[in-house]
Amino acid sequence: MTIRHDANQRRTSTANLSATDRSGKGTLGKGTPPTRAPNAGAARWILALAIFTAVMGSSLALKGILVDFGWFPRAAVVVAATLLLPALLRRRPGLSPFAPLGALAGWLLGLTMVFFPTTAILGIIPTTETLASAQLMVSEASTVIMNTLTPAPSVQPMFFLIAAGLGFIALLLDTLAITVALPAASSLGFLLMMVPSALMTRSGLEFWGFVGPAAGFLLVLGCCRWYAPEGKLRTDVPRFPSGTLPQALAMGAAVVLLMSMLPAVVPGFKQGAFPQGTRFNEQSGATSLDPMISLGQNLREQSAQTHLNYLSNTPSAQYIRVNTLEDFTGKSWRPSPFSTGLDPDLNNVAPEPDASPAIPRIKTLTWITPAGLRSEWLPAPAGTVAVEDLGGKWRWDPTTATIKGAGSSIANQSYVVHSEVPELTPARLELATGTPTPTLEQVFTTLPNDVPKLVSETAQTVAGNAGTPYAQAMALQNYLRSSEFSYSLDTPAADGYDGSGMAVLEAFLTNKSGYCVHFSAAMAVMARELGIPSRIAVGYAPGAVTTEVVKRDGLTLFGYRATGRDAHAWPELYFEGLGWVPFEPTPGRGSVPDYAQEETSSDPAASAPAVPTTEAAATPTTTSATTTAAAAPGSPGQAADAPRWLPGVGAGLLLVLLLLIPAMVRGNVRRRRLALLRTPTSAGCTGGASGEALPVLAWRELMDTATDFGYAHDASRTPALHAQELATMLGPTTPVGLALLRQAYEEDAYGVALTASVGETPAGRDDLADAVETVTARLQTQATLWGRIRARWIPASFFRRWGR
């Protein structure tokens, strides 16, 4: 028999070292109680660092959930705190089982330290006040999620939600990979990080969304292979296991190939990785309108789905406000928080400050029925003075003229709004030159310190020399509606200024192309630069006319509808004595009010009478509003041409394929090993391309097969102990093949013939293959039905092999 001295010498020294560590005397099997190996303290820290790196690297998959990565530093602190305590507990072997409790405590302490230090003892120990604050934070995050399309704004509640989620995933990985010693099962945590972007963003999972979790998973697998759960270096695992790298690469390539083919297999997956999730709202018949952040996304979707049906005594469609944006000091512009002390009575409301009582009023009655809109903000025309037939609890904010539900929604409601607006004319607006009342909130005039110089310079150049606030407002509106600017839904997204914030305005005024968000924000900010209070209304531009006509309270009401493509934003400027006055700076959208049109204007859009938007100018529908809403499910983007059961079938097939992977991989490994054993080689003892000795190959197949049938494999046992345990498993009559397999393995591992009963190694190794099959057949005979099913379809050796 040819002996490879270098390999045998390494195996012998390793075996002797292991025997020395176990017995303490350098000999095998003397009955001496084992002594504990020195604790490799650095190993547990390496494991913690590996999981931290994997979690934070995999968090790249959350790209697109929020507008930026402002949550990253806070989440990093929470994840580090979650992993710190279990690493400290593993310093003492007796405390290692309590590592998950330590991770849970670290998670709570980390969240408290980062988000609620003022409510905690010493800034980190939570109190009942901390729990109440956390509950409120979760409620606010839920509100943002339910009323926002991705990317959501970078606000504290969303930071808390993401940090808490990543910390929990770190806890899960630490428990599965180290405490339970099932690092392969840690893939669950990485899949959880991929779900939000996969289901909630339009682009789905991008390249780094796959690479981050995949690299993190491989990092955890690799570190857990070399370090034991108690934080010690594994001495029983070869430093360079045969075939591990090729197998890992092959499995990774298979996963990537599977995920690449998935969009073609499952109907509806047409863009990105999982864009079907972005249409959950459409499929459920409910949509939301997010102010500023994803209004552009709503517009780009060009959805024909009806959001609102309403009847009004006005001769043309009107603007419907959903909420108001007035605080421009942050990166994202949001409605101001509602005070808890606001009046819930909606029978007699009025904006503050209001127009002078001497100004004539135009009274309107509007009967609104949301068709598919989900919102806690109440859509209503400007100048609301009373709301009837509205169920639930609602609060009215007179400062912003908005109504918000106190745990209530407009879903499945129908209500009547009475509104009054002052009769505005250019002459009245020209005379409104007084200083704004002191009671006007400062939020309507405040600007941040980072207003780009281009914005202020443009405001002064365009309207600085105008004589009155009205003239300045008209100058700004006419400048934005001039031929220098163009309306575009695509350019802003491509150029990176799809949202709100001062940097967005600078990019918009430079490129001079954008949509209503940019035009309204530019006019509102430049108006403040000139000293005119301003705010932005978000809602719907005048929609399309329907054929429905009804009588109510002695008035004739005409039918209108607003769809997703009517989502709109427009500025409102304050004039003392007249109140808040809407303007329309966006070319090609909405309708310019009569008081905001110049008599000699050459702009066709500015001189046109108040008419509905482009959609409204189309041929009027021949059905009622109710029929129009019923037809919405067949609108673009809802995959009406595909049966609803197809996605479920595709998902079921994918699940079955994933469940079959362990059996398929294990069967392939078994067939490959037996084929190598039955292929004679010139040396008689050398394996396939991996260079693994055939006796070692046969022994590994024996151990894997025994593990599949329930054998508790322990790498610290000698081959003799393994054979003894297997003999007990196989019953009173031990197959001769078991002794042959053990003897061949010991000869190759230690380089000496320990037993003379087994002669020279034959040139072929059919004897080893036959021995493996004989022992396998005995194991199948001894196993129960469930044992045989488990060994075939849920092979334990697969999870042990990839989980080491």
Side-chain angles (χ1 to χ4, degrees):
M1 173 179 178
T2 302
I3 299 177
R4 289 165 288 127
H5 298 284
D6 54 344
N8 287 335
Q9 183 177 0
R10 177 170 54 82
R11 294 191 186 97
T12 304
S13 61
T14 302
N16 291 338
L17 175 60
S18 301
T20 303
D21 290 340
R22 288 191 298 270
S23 66
K25 295 183 179 181
T27 58
L28 291 170
K30 296 298 183 180
T32 305
T35 58
R36 185 175 300 277
N39 195 319
R44 54 197 171 93
W45 294 113
I46 292 176
L47 289 171
L49 181 60
I51 295 177
F52 175 84
T53 304
V55 171
M56 299 313 300
S58 301
S59 66
L60 294 173
L62 298 178
K63 181 180 181 294
I65 296 297
L66 299 188
V67 294
D68 55 37
F69 277 84
W71 50 267
F72 194 89
R74 297 171 175 83
V77 173
V78 173
V79 171
T82 304
L83 298 172
L84 176 63
L85 288 183
L88 293 174
L89 289 174
R90 291 190 179 99
R91 178 67 180 84
R92 299 294 180 184
L95 298 178
S96 293
F98 299 99
L101 295 179
L104 179 61
W107 180 55
L108 295 174
L109 294 177
L111 289 172
T112 302
M113 177 178 63
V114 173
F115 294 98
F116 314 107
T118 59
T119 66
I121 300 174
L122 301 178
I124 60 172
I125 303 176
T127 62
T128 55
E129 185 181 356
T130 305
L131 298 179
S133 299
Q135 184 178 6
L136 179 61
M137 189 83 78
V138 171
S139 176
E140 293 176 356
S142 175
T143 299
V144 173
I145 293 173
M146 295 301 293
N147 294 279
T148 303
L149 294 175
T150 55
S154 290
V155 292
Q156 192 79 346
M158 296 302 296
F159 291 170
F160 172 77
L161 197 64
I162 291 181
L166 292 179
F168 177 79
I169 289 175
L171 184 155
L172 181 66
L173 295 183
D174 183 89
T175 302
L176 291 176
I178 304 179
T179 303
V180 184
L182 291 175
S186 65
S187 59
L188 174 63
F190 295 99
L191 289 175
L192 289 176
M193 279 187 278
M194 299 168 67
V195 167
S197 291
L199 297 183
M200 294 164 55
T201 62
R202 172 57 59 183
S203 61
L205 277 173
E206 299 180 356
F207 175 75
W208 292 109
F210 281 110
V211 172
F217 181 50
L218 293 177
L219 178 63
V220 171
L221 284 182
C223 287
C224 289
R225 177 175 177 81
W226 301 115
Y227 295 99
E230 61 272 19
K232 296 185 298 183
L233 180 68
R234 293 184 188 268
T235 58
D236 60 311
V237 179
R239 178 64 64 179
F240 300 101
S242 174
T244 297
L245 182 59
Q247 291 171 6
L249 293 176
M251 176 164 284
V255 172
V256 172
L257 179 62
L258 177 64
M259 300 308 294
S260 301
M261 296 174 57
L262 186 62
V265 175
V266 183
F269 288 55
K270 298 176 181 178
Q271 297 178 7
F274 297 92
Q276 186 71 15
T278 62
R279 294 193 287 275
F280 278 3
N281 286 345
E282 296 174 4
Q283 292 175 344
S284 63
T287 56
S288 61
L289 179 65
D290 174 42
M292 304 301 289
I293 300 304
S294 59
L295 181 58
Q297 181 175 336
N298 286 341
L299 295 172
R300 280 191 294 277
E301 289 176 358
Q302 290 293 299
S303 172
Q305 182 181 2
T306 300
H307 287 193
L308 294 174
N309 291 307
Y310 62 96
L311 298 154
S312 179
N313 64 330
T314 57
S316 60
Q318 55 187 321
Y319 284 80
I320 302 294
R321 178 205 312 271
V322 175
N323 49 33
T324 302
L325 309 177
E326 59 278 342
D327 186 358
F328 298 168
T329 58
K331 291 184 178 180
S332 61
W333 301 342
R334 309 290 300 172
S336 297
F338 257 53
S339 173
T340 56
L342 296 177
D343 188 358
D345 184 14
L346 301 183
N347 294 323
N348 186 18
V349 298
E352 295 179 1
D354 199 359
S356 170
I359 304 297
R361 304 294 180 103
I362 301 175
K363 298 183 179 180
T364 302
L365 185 148
T366 307
W367 186 358
I368 300 176
T369 303
L373 183 65
R374 179 192 64 228
S375 175
E376 61 180 353
W377 301 88
L378 188 74
T384 299
V385 295
V387 181
E388 299 176 353
D389 304 334
L390 182 64
K393 296 181 179 180
W394 300 82
R395 292 176 294 168
W396 159 259
D397 187 348
T399 302
T400 59
T402 53
I403 302 172
K404 184 180 181 182
S408 301
S409 171
I410 64 172
N412 302 319
Q413 298 234 39
S414 182
Y415 54 94
V416 175
V417 178
H418 296 271
S419 56
E420 297 180 5
V421 295
E423 189 176 313
L424 300 174
T425 63
R428 291 192 177 107
L429 288 165
E430 281 284 3
L431 296 175
T433 59
T435 303
T437 176
T439 59
L440 186 69
E441 297 285 345
Q442 291 185 354
V443 70
F444 298 111
T445 58
T446 303
L447 285 172
N449 297 326
D450 62 343
V451 177
K453 186 178 180 180
L454 177 62
V455 177
S456 57
E457 288 180 349
T458 302
Q460 291 297 328
T461 301
V462 171
N465 296 327
T468 64
Y470 171 67
Q472 292 176 328
M474 289 297 297
L476 293 176
Q477 176 185 271
N478 293 338
Y479 170 68
L480 293 171
R481 293 183 65 86
S482 69
S483 58
E484 294 187 40
F485 288 83
S486 62
Y487 180 84
S488 172
L489 293 175
D490 299 322
T491 303
D495 291 349
Y497 55 99
D498 187 22
S500 59
M502 294 302 160
V504 172
L505 293 187
E506 184 175 24
F508 167 66
L509 293 176
T510 300
N511 293 276
K512 296 185 177 181
S513 178
Y515 50 88
C516 58
V517 167
H518 307 101
F519 286 94
S520 59
M523 183 168 179
V525 172
M526 288 193 291
R528 291 191 185 186
E529 286 284 350
L530 299 172
I532 306 175
S534 65
R535 66 189 187 188
I536 300 174
V538 177
Y540 295 91
V545 180
T546 67
T547 58
E548 190 171 6
V549 180
V550 300
K551 292 282 189 178
R552 183 183 175 103
D553 297 342
L555 299 174
T556 301
L557 306 181
F558 303 94
Y560 307 95
R561 75 171 185 273
T563 67
R565 66 183 58 173
D566 293 313
H568 192 49
W570 62 95
E572 295 182 342
L573 276 55
Y574 179 79
F575 293 85
E576 183 61 27
L578 297 176
W580 290 99
V581 178
F583 288 84
E584 185 52 87
T586 306
R589 294 284 293 174
S591 59
V592 180
D594 292 338
Y595 56 79
Q597 298 181 26
E598 291 186 334
E599 295 181 0
T600 60
S601 174
S602 60
D603 183 0
S607 60
V611 295
T613 60
T614 304
E615 184 192 11
T619 304
T621 178
T622 58
T623 59
S624 65
T626 304
T627 306
T628 302
S635 59
Q638 293 192 344
D641 56 336
R644 294 180 178 272
W645 50 266
L646 277 180
V649 172
L653 293 175
L654 176 62
L655 179 61
V656 171
L657 179 61
L658 292 176
L659 293 177
L660 291 177
I661 286 178
M664 293 167 58
V665 173
R666 178 68 183 97
N668 180 65
V669 171
R670 180 186 299 109
R671 286 190 297 271
R672 181 180 63 84
R673 286 172 174 171
L674 292 177
L676 288 174
L677 289 173
R678 294 189 183 280
T679 302
T681 61
S682 58
C685 62
T686 302
S690 63
E692 192 171 44
L694 295 182
V696 175
L697 200 67
W699 183 258
R700 286 193 174 184
E701 177 57 29
L702 173 66
M703 290 294 99
D704 285 349
T705 302
T707 302
D708 294 340
F709 282 96
Y711 176 58
H713 184 273
D714 186 350
S716 64
R717 292 173 181 164
T718 63
L721 290 177
H722 280 304
Q724 182 179 348
E725 293 290 336
L726 287 178
T728 303
M729 241 181 107
L730 294 172
T733 305
T734 303
V736 178
L738 179 60
L740 174 65
L741 291 170
R742 170 202 164 187
Q743 191 66 36
Y745 176 71
E746 288 179 334
E747 286 182 352
D748 184 84
Y750 305 115
V752 293
L754 301 180
T755 305
S757 60
V758 180
E760 292 292 333
T761 302
R765 300 314 316 225
D766 286 345
D767 57 337
L768 296 182
D770 292 339
V772 170
E773 292 180 343
T774 300
V775 176
T776 300
R778 177 64 66 84
L779 288 171
Q780 291 176 341
T781 302
Q782 296 294 113
T784 62
L785 175 62
W786 165 243
R788 291 193 294 272
I789 294 175
R790 182 181 59 187
R792 177 66 180 87
W793 300 106
I794 317 175
S797 63
F798 170 84
F799 300 100
R800 181 177 66 87
R801 179 182 182 84
W802 293 101
R804 284 185 301 183

